PDB file of all heavy atoms in Angstrom:
ATOM      1  N   VAL A1295      92.921 102.857  97.580  1.00 97.00           N
ATOM      2  CA  VAL A1295      92.316 104.151  97.263  1.00 97.00           C
ATOM      3  C   VAL A1295      90.794 104.067  97.344  1.00 97.00           C
ATOM      4  O   VAL A1295      90.143 105.006  97.820  1.00 97.00           O
ATOM      5  CB  VAL A1295      92.785 104.637  95.878  1.00 97.00           C
ATOM      6  CG1 VAL A1295      91.938 105.807  95.404  1.00 97.00           C
ATOM      7  CG2 VAL A1295      94.253 105.054  95.935  1.00 97.00           C
ATOM      8  N   LEU A1296      90.203 102.966  96.901  1.00 97.00           N
ATOM      9  CA  LEU A1296      88.751 102.821  97.021  1.00 97.00           C
ATOM     10  C   LEU A1296      88.311 102.951  98.476  1.00 97.00           C
ATOM     11  O   LEU A1296      87.316 103.618  98.779  1.00 97.00           O
ATOM     12  CB  LEU A1296      88.299 101.477  96.441  1.00 97.00           C
ATOM     13  CG  LEU A1296      88.286 101.381  94.913  1.00 97.00           C
ATOM     14  CD1 LEU A1296      87.992  99.956  94.476  1.00 97.00           C
ATOM     15  CD2 LEU A1296      87.261 102.338  94.309  1.00 97.00           C
ATOM     16  N   ARG A1297      89.067 102.337  99.374  1.00 95.00           N
ATOM     17  CA  ARG A1297      88.736 102.458 100.796  1.00 95.00           C
ATOM     18  C   ARG A1297      88.980 103.879 101.284  1.00 95.00           C
ATOM     19  O   ARG A1297      88.207 104.430 102.061  1.00 95.00           O
ATOM     20  CB  ARG A1297      89.551 101.464 101.624  1.00 95.00           C
ATOM     21  CG  ARG A1297      89.171 100.010 101.424  1.00 95.00           C
ATOM     22  CD  ARG A1297      89.656  99.152 102.586  1.00 95.00           C
ATOM     23  NE  ARG A1297      91.082  99.302 102.813  1.00 95.00           N
ATOM     24  CZ  ARG A1297      92.014  98.523 102.275  1.00 95.00           C
ATOM     25  NH1 ARG A1297      91.658  97.529 101.470  1.00 95.00           N
ATOM     26  NH2 ARG A1297      93.290  98.708 102.531  1.00 95.00           N
ATOM     27  N   GLU A1298      90.061 104.484 100.819  1.00 95.00           N
ATOM     28  CA  GLU A1298      90.440 105.813 101.310  1.00 95.00           C
ATOM     29  C   GLU A1298      89.411 106.871 100.934  1.00 95.00           C
ATOM     30  O   GLU A1298      89.180 107.826 101.681  1.00 95.00           O
ATOM     31  CB  GLU A1298      91.823 106.196 100.757  1.00 95.00           C
ATOM     32  CG  GLU A1298      92.455 107.368 101.472  1.00 95.00           C
ATOM     33  CD  GLU A1298      93.913 107.574 101.094  1.00 95.00           C
ATOM     34  OE1 GLU A1298      94.484 106.715 100.392  1.00 95.00           O
ATOM     35  OE2 GLU A1298      94.472 108.604 101.502  1.00 95.00           O
ATOM     36  N   VAL A1299      88.787 106.713  99.752  1.00 95.00           N
ATOM     37  CA  VAL A1299      87.785 107.700  99.341  1.00 95.00           C
ATOM     38  C   VAL A1299      86.403 107.345  99.872  1.00 95.00           C
ATOM     39  O   VAL A1299      85.429 108.066  99.604  1.00 95.00           O
ATOM     40  CB  VAL A1299      87.736 107.844  97.801  1.00 95.00           C
ATOM     41  CG1 VAL A1299      89.093 108.230  97.258  1.00 95.00           C
ATOM     42  CG2 VAL A1299      87.211 106.580  97.126  1.00 95.00           C
ATOM     43  N   GLY A1300      86.297 106.244 100.619  1.00 95.00           N
ATOM     44  CA  GLY A1300      85.034 105.873 101.239  1.00 95.00           C
ATOM     45  C   GLY A1300      84.055 105.195 100.311  1.00 95.00           C
ATOM     46  O   GLY A1300      82.844 105.199 100.558  1.00 95.00           O
ATOM     47  N   ALA A1301      84.567 104.574  99.230  1.00 97.00           N
ATOM     48  CA  ALA A1301      83.687 103.878  98.286  1.00 97.00           C
ATOM     49  C   ALA A1301      83.345 102.492  98.834  1.00 97.00           C
ATOM     50  O   ALA A1301      84.209 101.627  98.942  1.00 97.00           O
ATOM     51  CB  ALA A1301      84.367 103.756  96.928  1.00 97.00           C
ATOM     52  N   ASP A1364      79.122 104.301  94.736  1.00 97.00           N
ATOM     53  CA  ASP A1364      79.851 105.422  95.330  1.00 97.00           C
ATOM     54  C   ASP A1364      80.964 105.915  94.407  1.00 97.00           C
ATOM     55  O   ASP A1364      81.475 107.027  94.583  1.00 97.00           O
ATOM     56  CB  ASP A1364      80.470 105.004  96.665  1.00 97.00           C
ATOM     57  CG  ASP A1364      79.433 104.538  97.664  1.00 97.00           C
ATOM     58  OD1 ASP A1364      78.446 105.261  97.861  1.00 97.00           O
ATOM     59  OD2 ASP A1364      79.597 103.438  98.231  1.00 97.00           O
ATOM     60  N   ALA A1365      81.388 105.070  93.474  1.00 97.00           N
ATOM     61  CA  ALA A1365      82.467 105.429  92.550  1.00 97.00           C
ATOM     62  C   ALA A1365      82.415 104.487  91.355  1.00 97.00           C
ATOM     63  O   ALA A1365      81.811 103.411  91.414  1.00 97.00           O
ATOM     64  CB  ALA A1365      83.830 105.339  93.234  1.00 97.00           C
ATOM     65  N   LEU A1366      83.074 104.909  90.280  1.00 98.00           N
ATOM     66  CA  LEU A1366      83.197 104.085  89.077  1.00 98.00           C
ATOM     67  C   LEU A1366      84.671 103.869  88.787  1.00 98.00           C
ATOM     68  O   LEU A1366      85.447 104.831  88.719  1.00 98.00           O
ATOM     69  CB  LEU A1366      82.530 104.779  87.890  1.00 98.00           C
ATOM     70  CG  LEU A1366      82.791 104.171  86.502  1.00 98.00           C
ATOM     71  CD1 LEU A1366      82.246 102.748  86.421  1.00 98.00           C
ATOM     72  CD2 LEU A1366      82.192 105.050  85.412  1.00 98.00           C
ATOM     73  N   VAL A1380      88.395 110.098  81.704  1.00 98.00           N
ATOM     74  CA  VAL A1380      88.138 110.172  83.147  1.00 98.00           C
ATOM     75  C   VAL A1380      87.362 111.431  83.529  1.00 98.00           C
ATOM     76  O   VAL A1380      86.309 111.366  84.164  1.00 98.00           O
ATOM     77  CB  VAL A1380      89.450 110.094  83.955  1.00 98.00           C
ATOM     78  CG1 VAL A1380      89.190 110.363  85.430  1.00 98.00           C
ATOM     79  CG2 VAL A1380      90.095 108.717  83.790  1.00 98.00           C
ATOM     80  N   GLU A1384      83.450 111.717  84.755  1.00 97.00           N
ATOM     81  CA  GLU A1384      83.197 112.224  86.102  1.00 97.00           C
ATOM     82  C   GLU A1384      82.300 113.457  86.062  1.00 97.00           C
ATOM     83  O   GLU A1384      81.368 113.587  86.875  1.00 97.00           O
ATOM     84  CB  GLU A1384      84.515 112.535  86.807  1.00 97.00           C
ATOM     85  CG  GLU A1384      84.321 112.901  88.267  1.00 97.00           C
ATOM     86  CD  GLU A1384      85.615 112.980  89.047  1.00 97.00           C
ATOM     87  OE1 GLU A1384      86.137 111.923  89.455  1.00 97.00           O
ATOM     88  OE2 GLU A1384      86.117 114.098  89.249  1.00 97.00           O
ATOM     89  N   GLY A1388      78.852 112.798  87.823  1.00 95.00           N
ATOM     90  CA  GLY A1388      78.881 113.362  89.166  1.00 95.00           C
ATOM     91  C   GLY A1388      79.425 112.429  90.217  1.00 95.00           C
ATOM     92  O   GLY A1388      79.415 112.743  91.407  1.00 95.00           O
ATOM     93  N   LEU A1389      79.907 111.259  89.795  1.00 95.00           N
ATOM     94  CA  LEU A1389      80.528 110.295  90.708  1.00 95.00           C
ATOM     95  C   LEU A1389      82.041 110.376  90.602  1.00 95.00           C
ATOM     96  O   LEU A1389      82.568 110.706  89.531  1.00 95.00           O
ATOM     97  CB  LEU A1389      80.119 108.870  90.329  1.00 95.00           C
ATOM     98  CG  LEU A1389      78.794 108.299  90.797  1.00 95.00           C
ATOM     99  CD1 LEU A1389      78.641 106.892  90.220  1.00 95.00           C
ATOM    100  CD2 LEU A1389      78.710 108.251  92.308  1.00 95.00           C
ATOM    101  N   PRO A1390      82.772 110.055  91.673  1.00 97.00           N
ATOM    102  CA  PRO A1390      84.215 109.925  91.539  1.00 97.00           C
ATOM    103  C   PRO A1390      84.547 108.831  90.526  1.00 97.00           C
ATOM    104  O   PRO A1390      83.972 107.731  90.572  1.00 97.00           O
ATOM    105  CB  PRO A1390      84.680 109.518  92.945  1.00 97.00           C
ATOM    106  CG  PRO A1390      83.602 109.997  93.850  1.00 97.00           C
ATOM    107  CD  PRO A1390      82.329 109.846  93.071  1.00 97.00           C
ATOM    108  N   VAL A1391      85.437 109.130  89.595  1.00 98.00           N
ATOM    109  CA  VAL A1391      85.865 108.161  88.586  1.00 98.00           C
ATOM    110  C   VAL A1391      87.347 107.890  88.788  1.00 98.00           C
ATOM    111  O   VAL A1391      88.168 108.818  88.768  1.00 98.00           O
ATOM    112  CB  VAL A1391      85.588 108.680  87.164  1.00 98.00           C
ATOM    113  CG1 VAL A1391      86.192 107.732  86.129  1.00 98.00           C
ATOM    114  CG2 VAL A1391      84.086 108.824  86.936  1.00 98.00           C
ATOM    115  N   LEU A1392      87.674 106.629  88.986  1.00 98.00           N
ATOM    116  CA  LEU A1392      89.054 106.201  89.199  1.00 98.00           C
ATOM    117  C   LEU A1392      89.451 105.229  88.100  1.00 98.00           C
ATOM    118  O   LEU A1392      88.606 104.629  87.443  1.00 98.00           O
ATOM    119  CB  LEU A1392      89.205 105.499  90.550  1.00 98.00           C
ATOM    120  CG  LEU A1392      88.561 106.137  91.777  1.00 98.00           C
ATOM    121  CD1 LEU A1392      88.755 105.239  92.989  1.00 98.00           C
ATOM    122  CD2 LEU A1392      89.146 107.511  92.030  1.00 98.00           C
ATOM    123  N   THR A1393      90.727 105.063  87.917  1.00 98.00           N
ATOM    124  CA  THR A1393      91.251 104.008  87.053  1.00 98.00           C
ATOM    125  C   THR A1393      92.454 103.391  87.747  1.00 98.00           C
ATOM    126  O   THR A1393      92.972 103.945  88.723  1.00 98.00           O
ATOM    127  CB  THR A1393      91.696 104.546  85.676  1.00 98.00           C
ATOM    128  OG1 THR A1393      92.917 105.298  85.832  1.00 98.00           O
ATOM    129  CG2 THR A1393      90.624 105.410  85.031  1.00 98.00           C
ATOM    130  N   THR A1396      95.163 106.116  87.518  1.00 98.00           N
ATOM    131  CA  THR A1396      95.070 107.279  88.413  1.00 98.00           C
ATOM    132  C   THR A1396      95.291 106.876  89.863  1.00 98.00           C
ATOM    133  O   THR A1396      95.895 107.628  90.628  1.00 98.00           O
ATOM    134  CB  THR A1396      93.721 108.008  88.256  1.00 98.00           C
ATOM    135  OG1 THR A1396      92.640 107.131  88.582  1.00 98.00           O
ATOM    136  CG2 THR A1396      93.558 108.534  86.835  1.00 98.00           C
ATOM    137  N   TYR A1400      98.296 108.355  92.134  1.00 98.00           N
ATOM    138  CA  TYR A1400      97.984 108.941  93.438  1.00 98.00           C
ATOM    139  C   TYR A1400      98.894 108.363  94.523  1.00 98.00           C
ATOM    140  O   TYR A1400      99.479 109.104  95.322  1.00 98.00           O
ATOM    141  CB  TYR A1400      96.520 108.669  93.782  1.00 98.00           C
ATOM    142  CG  TYR A1400      96.116 109.093  95.170  1.00 98.00           C
ATOM    143  CD1 TYR A1400      95.759 110.407  95.436  1.00 98.00           C
ATOM    144  CD2 TYR A1400      96.105 108.180  96.219  1.00 98.00           C
ATOM    145  CE1 TYR A1400      95.393 110.805  96.717  1.00 98.00           C
ATOM    146  CE2 TYR A1400      95.741 108.560  97.501  1.00 98.00           C
ATOM    147  CZ  TYR A1400      95.397 109.868  97.741  1.00 98.00           C
ATOM    148  OH  TYR A1400      95.047 110.245  99.017  1.00 98.00           O
ATOM    149  N   ARG A1404     101.835 110.086  96.869  1.00 97.00           N
ATOM    150  CA  ARG A1404     101.808 110.014  98.338  1.00 97.00           C
ATOM    151  C   ARG A1404     103.083 109.354  98.877  1.00 97.00           C
ATOM    152  O   ARG A1404     103.603 109.763  99.925  1.00 97.00           O
ATOM    153  CB  ARG A1404     100.564 109.263  98.799  1.00 97.00           C
ATOM    154  CG  ARG A1404      99.275 110.112  98.724  1.00 97.00           C
ATOM    155  CD  ARG A1404      99.370 111.315  99.672  1.00 97.00           C
ATOM    156  NE  ARG A1404      98.215 112.188  99.653  1.00 97.00           N
ATOM    157  CZ  ARG A1404      97.154 112.060 100.442  1.00 97.00           C
ATOM    158  NH1 ARG A1404      97.066 111.034 101.282  1.00 97.00           N
ATOM    159  NH2 ARG A1404      96.168 112.924 100.385  1.00 97.00           N
ATOM    160  N   GLU A1409     101.551 116.157  97.494  1.00 96.00           N
ATOM    161  CA  GLU A1409     100.099 116.254  97.385  1.00 96.00           C
ATOM    162  C   GLU A1409      99.696 116.317  95.912  1.00 96.00           C
ATOM    163  O   GLU A1409     100.307 117.050  95.126  1.00 96.00           O
ATOM    164  CB  GLU A1409      99.591 117.499  98.108  1.00 96.00           C
ATOM    165  CG  GLU A1409      99.694 117.405  99.618  1.00 96.00           C
ATOM    166  CD  GLU A1409      98.902 116.254 100.200  1.00 96.00           C
ATOM    167  OE1 GLU A1409      97.835 115.933  99.635  1.00 96.00           O
ATOM    168  OE2 GLU A1409      99.360 115.668 101.200  1.00 96.00           O
ATOM    169  N   PRO A1410      98.685 115.553  95.501  1.00 97.00           N
ATOM    170  CA  PRO A1410      98.273 115.564  94.096  1.00 97.00           C
ATOM    171  C   PRO A1410      97.711 116.917  93.680  1.00 97.00           C
ATOM    172  O   PRO A1410      96.960 117.546  94.425  1.00 97.00           O
ATOM    173  CB  PRO A1410      97.209 114.466  94.029  1.00 97.00           C
ATOM    174  CG  PRO A1410      96.717 114.309  95.431  1.00 97.00           C
ATOM    175  CD  PRO A1410      97.874 114.630  96.318  1.00 97.00           C
ATOM    176  N   ALA A1415      91.952 114.970  85.315  1.00 98.00           N
ATOM    177  CA  ALA A1415      92.024 113.516  85.472  1.00 98.00           C
ATOM    178  C   ALA A1415      91.189 113.035  86.651  1.00 98.00           C
ATOM    179  O   ALA A1415      91.456 111.991  87.228  1.00 98.00           O
ATOM    180  CB  ALA A1415      93.479 113.073  85.648  1.00 98.00           C
ATOM    181  N   GLY A1416      90.190 113.811  87.019  1.00 97.00           N
ATOM    182  CA  GLY A1416      89.316 113.417  88.113  1.00 97.00           C
ATOM    183  C   GLY A1416      89.706 114.037  89.442  1.00 97.00           C
ATOM    184  O   GLY A1416      90.827 114.531  89.627  1.00 97.00           O
ATOM    185  N   ARG A1417      88.748 113.999  90.366  1.00 97.00           N
ATOM    186  CA  ARG A1417      88.944 114.647  91.667  1.00 97.00           C
ATOM    187  C   ARG A1417      90.029 114.000  92.509  1.00 97.00           C
ATOM    188  O   ARG A1417      90.667 114.667  93.323  1.00 97.00           O
ATOM    189  CB  ARG A1417      87.622 114.638  92.444  1.00 97.00           C
ATOM    190  CG  ARG A1417      86.662 115.747  92.027  1.00 97.00           C
ATOM    191  CD  ARG A1417      85.356 115.639  92.778  1.00 97.00           C
ATOM    192  NE  ARG A1417      84.497 114.621  92.205  1.00 97.00           N
ATOM    193  CZ  ARG A1417      83.409 114.135  92.807  1.00 97.00           C
ATOM    194  NH1 ARG A1417      83.080 114.536  94.022  1.00 97.00           N
ATOM    195  NH2 ARG A1417      82.663 113.223  92.205  1.00 97.00           N
ATOM    196  N   LEU A1418      90.250 112.712  92.332  1.00 97.00           N
ATOM    197  CA  LEU A1418      91.283 112.042  93.123  1.00 97.00           C
ATOM    198  C   LEU A1418      92.630 112.733  92.948  1.00 97.00           C
ATOM    199  O   LEU A1418      93.301 113.072  93.928  1.00 97.00           O
ATOM    200  CB  LEU A1418      91.400 110.570  92.722  1.00 97.00           C
ATOM    201  CG  LEU A1418      92.541 109.794  93.399  1.00 97.00           C
ATOM    202  CD1 LEU A1418      92.252 109.604  94.882  1.00 97.00           C
ATOM    203  CD2 LEU A1418      92.760 108.441  92.720  1.00 97.00           C
ATOM    204  N   LEU A1419      93.028 112.947  91.698  1.00 98.00           N
ATOM    205  CA  LEU A1419      94.347 113.535  91.427  1.00 98.00           C
ATOM    206  C   LEU A1419      94.338 115.055  91.466  1.00 98.00           C
ATOM    207  O   LEU A1419      95.403 115.685  91.478  1.00 98.00           O
ATOM    208  CB  LEU A1419      94.874 113.038  90.090  1.00 98.00           C
ATOM    209  CG  LEU A1419      95.342 111.580  90.100  1.00 98.00           C
ATOM    210  CD1 LEU A1419      95.822 111.153  88.719  1.00 98.00           C
ATOM    211  CD2 LEU A1419      96.457 111.359  91.125  1.00 98.00           C
ATOM    212  N   ALA A1420      93.158 115.646  91.492  1.00 97.00           N
ATOM    213  CA  ALA A1420      93.090 117.096  91.667  1.00 97.00           C
ATOM    214  C   ALA A1420      93.185 117.483  93.136  1.00 97.00           C
ATOM    215  O   ALA A1420      93.315 118.656  93.468  1.00 97.00           O
ATOM    216  CB  ALA A1420      91.782 117.630  91.080  1.00 97.00           C
ATOM    217  N   GLY A1421      93.128 116.471  94.015  1.00 91.00           N
ATOM    218  CA  GLY A1421      93.221 116.730  95.445  1.00 91.00           C
ATOM    219  C   GLY A1421      91.869 117.001  96.086  1.00 91.00           C
ATOM    220  O   GLY A1421      91.821 117.524  97.200  1.00 91.00           O
ATOM    221  N   GLY A1422      90.777 116.606  95.412  1.00 79.00           N
ATOM    222  CA  GLY A1422      89.476 116.935  95.921  1.00 79.00           C
ATOM    223  C   GLY A1422      88.706 115.793  96.572  1.00 79.00           C
ATOM    224  O   GLY A1422      87.542 115.968  96.948  1.00 79.00           O
ATOM    225  N   LEU A1423      89.341 114.626  96.707  1.00 82.00           N
ATOM    226  CA  LEU A1423      88.634 113.482  97.292  1.00 82.00           C
ATOM    227  C   LEU A1423      89.144 113.077  98.669  1.00 82.00           C
ATOM    228  O   LEU A1423      88.385 112.604  99.504  1.00 82.00           O
ATOM    229  CB  LEU A1423      88.732 112.262  96.367  1.00 82.00           C
ATOM    230  CG  LEU A1423      87.691 112.117  95.247  1.00 82.00           C
ATOM    231  CD1 LEU A1423      87.923 110.816  94.504  1.00 82.00           C
ATOM    232  CD2 LEU A1423      86.283 112.172  95.799  1.00 82.00           C
ATOM    233  N   VAL A1424      90.440 113.247  98.872  1.00 75.00           N
ATOM    234  CA  VAL A1424      91.075 112.801 100.121  1.00 75.00           C
ATOM    235  C   VAL A1424      91.714 114.004 100.798  1.00 75.00           C
ATOM    236  O   VAL A1424      92.394 114.796 100.135  1.00 75.00           O
ATOM    237  CB  VAL A1424      92.137 111.725  99.835  1.00 75.00           C
ATOM    238  CG1 VAL A1424      92.751 111.226 101.149  1.00 75.00           C
ATOM    239  CG2 VAL A1424      91.536 110.564  99.063  1.00 75.00           C
ATOM    240  N   PRO A1425      91.515 114.169 102.122  1.00 64.00           N
ATOM    241  CA  PRO A1425      92.148 115.301 102.818  1.00 64.00           C
ATOM    242  C   PRO A1425      93.659 115.281 102.667  1.00 64.00           C
ATOM    243  O   PRO A1425      94.281 114.216 102.614  1.00 64.00           O
ATOM    244  CB  PRO A1425      91.721 115.083 104.279  1.00 64.00           C
ATOM    245  CG  PRO A1425      90.501 114.230 104.205  1.00 64.00           C
ATOM    246  CD  PRO A1425      90.682 113.349 103.003  1.00 64.00           C
ATOM    247  N   ALA A1426      94.255 116.443 102.586  1.00 58.00           N
ATOM    248  CA  ALA A1426      95.717 116.553 102.484  1.00 58.00           C
ATOM    249  C   ALA A1426      96.363 115.998 103.733  1.00 58.00           C
ATOM    250  O   ALA A1426      95.822 116.065 104.834  1.00 58.00           O
ATOM    251  CB  ALA A1426      96.119 118.010 102.271  1.00 58.00           C
TER     252      ALA A1426
END
Side-chain angles (χ1 to χ4, degrees):
V1295 167
L1296 285 173
R1297 290 200 305 267
E1298 195 169 352
V1299 303
D1364 301 310
L1366 169 62
V1380 172
E1384 187 170 280
L1389 278 178
V1391 173
L1392 314 176
T1393 73
T1396 61
Y1400 174 83
R1404 283 297 179 90
E1409 289 300 327
R1417 279 177 281 167
L1418 175 69
L1419 287 179
L1423 274 183
V1424 182

